[in-house]
Amino acid sequence: DLCPITVLLPGGVELDNIGMARIAKEAGAVIGHKSSSTTASGKVMQSDSIGKEEVQASIDNEQREVMELAQQDVVLDLMARFGQDVGQRSDQHNSDVLDLVQMENLRNQLCMFNAQGKMLKEQERVIGLMEVLAHGSVPDHVLEEYEKAAEEDDMQINSVIGKVHVHVVRGERLPKMDMFRDCDPYLITYLDSAEKDEVHRTHPQRKERNPKWGEETRYSWDLLNMTKWLTITVMDKDQVTKDDIIGCVNIDITALPFDQEMTKWYQLENPAMTSKVRESKIQVSVLKASLGAEADQSQSNGAAELVSPNISHNKTDQPPDTFPDPAQGPPPPPHTGVN
């Protein structure tokens, strides 16, 4: 028994693989020329001498050929190239509505940006006038104090207050983004306050809907006062078309406690295909370390590296021309989360 696969053709026409096989057979698209066998209806019209058994046999033979052809890769490739999964129709509708909403939001944002630009110019003009008046009426030492306070505020916003250590452990139940191809996931991870060159990308894992990541997904960034969001995007590698976005996870760094490693499962979000990623999630471990904890960790690592070798070499029973036992050497430093 053949389980039919239905796609949506341009214009809203639904067609399954059996129908596509009939079209391909009639057009000679698969074998390169018209089939030598005459259609059953043609045989019925040819002559009354052909018996009903021969006509029925011809019909059965043609039906069997169509069913075999419907399972071949060439028919599935045609459907994948020219059709769209019927199950994605509602997702596509939601995506179109979301695009319209986003376009409207973008238009509103442009209007607000234009109004803010005009307001900023007016504020600069008023500030200039106030500076002229202040220089004539406010003592210089008071102006210097105000300028110094403003500089300190700017420095405080961009000051480093710790480190963010991240490990993306694994994913579960990632969806297939194409009808006939499996999921080839990879990650793009970044922190909103980091530099552009600190965006990390992994290599794709072939045909893996439950990926596991190791040391390659351990990252560290400086934690600033302005740090807010950690964003992890799961992508699907595609060799033919552009890569697909499976879903994203946004982690609020400000809501996490200091010096406590938090490991949680996070639901993937993708407004364009909510139903597909309903059960998809990734496990992420985040450590927001304060400067004090980082300093203590560095000092303990340095002490282990400096003290342990000296103890090994200063043993009185150690022969002078031999090396110390490697087992007595310094222990490996604890992992700090840096990849």
Side-chain angles (χ1 to χ4, degrees):
D1 293 338
L2 176 64
C3 181
I5 303 173
T6 305
V7 296
L8 186 66
L9 298 179
V13 179
E14 292 187 7
L15 183 69
D16 60 12
N17 52 338
I18 299 176
M20 180 66 77
R22 293 183 189 277
I23 294 175
K25 187 175 186 303
E26 291 296 327
V30 177
I31 59 177
H33 59 276
K34 282 285 187 179
S35 175
S36 59
S37 61
T38 311
T39 61
S41 58
K43 285 191 174 184
V44 173
M45 298 175 62
Q46 278 182 359
S47 174
D48 295 338
S49 62
I50 300 179
K52 292 183 179 180
E53 294 182 357
E54 295 180 356
V55 174
Q56 185 62 40
S58 177
I59 294 175
D60 294 341
N61 183 53
E62 182 177 358
Q63 183 68 18
R64 184 170 56 256
E65 291 179 359
V66 170
M67 297 297 288
E68 292 176 355
L69 183 59
Q71 302 179 61
Q72 295 184 10
D73 291 339
V74 64
V75 172
L76 300 180
D77 288 340
L78 285 172
M79 296 176 68
R81 180 176 299 181
F82 299 107
Q84 180 186 12
D85 189 354
V86 175
Q88 295 182 355
R89 180 187 296 180
S90 59
D91 289 338
Q92 183 64 40
H93 175 72
N94 294 336
S95 177
D96 294 340
V97 173
L98 181 63
D99 289 341
L100 291 176
V101 173
Q102 290 177 342
M103 289 177 61
E104 182 66 20
N105 291 337
L106 180 60
R107 187 180 70 85
N108 294 335
Q109 290 175 0
L110 290 174
C111 293
M112 291 178 60
F113 180 77
N114 188 26
Q116 289 175 352
K118 293 179 179 179
M119 186 181 299
L120 181 59
K121 290 182 179 180
E122 181 64 20
Q123 288 178 350
E124 291 175 351
R125 186 183 70 84
V126 173
I127 290 174
L129 293 175
M130 293 180 64
E131 287 180 350
V132 172
L133 295 174
H135 280 290
S137 58
V138 179
D140 292 339
H141 70 278
V142 176
L143 291 177
E144 292 176 358
E145 291 178 359
Y146 279 117
E147 291 175 356
K148 184 178 179 180
E151 291 177 357
E152 290 178 352
D153 290 341
D154 292 339
M155 293 178 60
Q156 186 177 5
I157 292 175
N158 297 318
S159 61
V160 178
I161 60 174
K163 298 282 287 188
V164 178
H165 303 294
V166 177
H167 181 206
V168 186
V169 183
R170 56 179 173 166
E172 279 192 1
R173 299 180 182 179
L174 302 184
K176 293 172 59 177
M177 304 304 291
D178 303 312
M179 281 187 293
F180 307 112
R181 295 176 178 87
D182 214 331
C183 184
D184 304 325
Y186 66 91
L187 300 176
I188 298 176
T189 309
Y190 64 93
L191 199 66
D192 59 355
S193 60
E195 300 293 336
K196 292 183 179 179
D197 58 353
E198 292 186 281
V199 176
H200 301 280
R201 172 173 173 169
T202 64
H203 296 288
Q205 295 193 17
R206 296 282 296 169
K207 298 182 179 180
E208 184 57 73
R209 299 178 65 183
N210 297 287
K212 295 181 179 179
W213 293 282
E215 295 301 311
E216 66 167 331
T217 54
R218 289 186 182 272
Y219 312 119
S220 291
W221 294 272
D222 287 335
L223 177 64
L224 309 182
N225 273 325
M226 61 181 294
T227 301
K228 175 68 175 176
W229 294 104
L230 170 68
T231 301
I232 304 171
T233 304
V234 185
M235 304 288 295
D236 178 33
K237 183 66 178 177
D238 199 315
Q239 301 294 338
V240 180
T241 60
K242 66 178 183 179
D243 297 351
D244 298 312
I245 299 177
I246 299 177
C248 297
V249 167
N250 293 300
I251 302 176
D252 187 359
I253 299 298
T254 60
L256 300 179
F258 274 99
D259 304 325
Q260 295 183 26
E261 187 172 11
M262 307 295 293
T263 303
K264 292 178 57 179
W265 284 97
Y266 293 90
Q267 174 74 39
L268 291 181
E269 297 181 359
N270 188 344
M273 48 188 65
T274 306
S275 59
K276 268 196 170 185
V277 298
R278 184 179 295 114
E279 298 181 351
S280 304
K281 54 186 178 180
I282 58 175
Q283 188 182 37
V284 184
S285 176
V286 183
L287 171 61
K288 187 171 72 170
S290 61
L291 283 179
E294 285 290 312
D296 294 341
Q297 185 71 26
S298 300
Q299 289 177 1
S300 62
N301 291 346
E305 293 176 359
L306 291 174
V307 174
S308 297
N310 291 338
I311 294 175
S312 177
H313 281 287
N314 291 338
K315 276 181 175 287
T316 57
D317 58 349
Q318 181 73 30
D321 295 330
T322 59
F323 292 100
D325 187 357
Q328 300 174 0
H335 204 286
T336 58
V338 180
N339 189 9

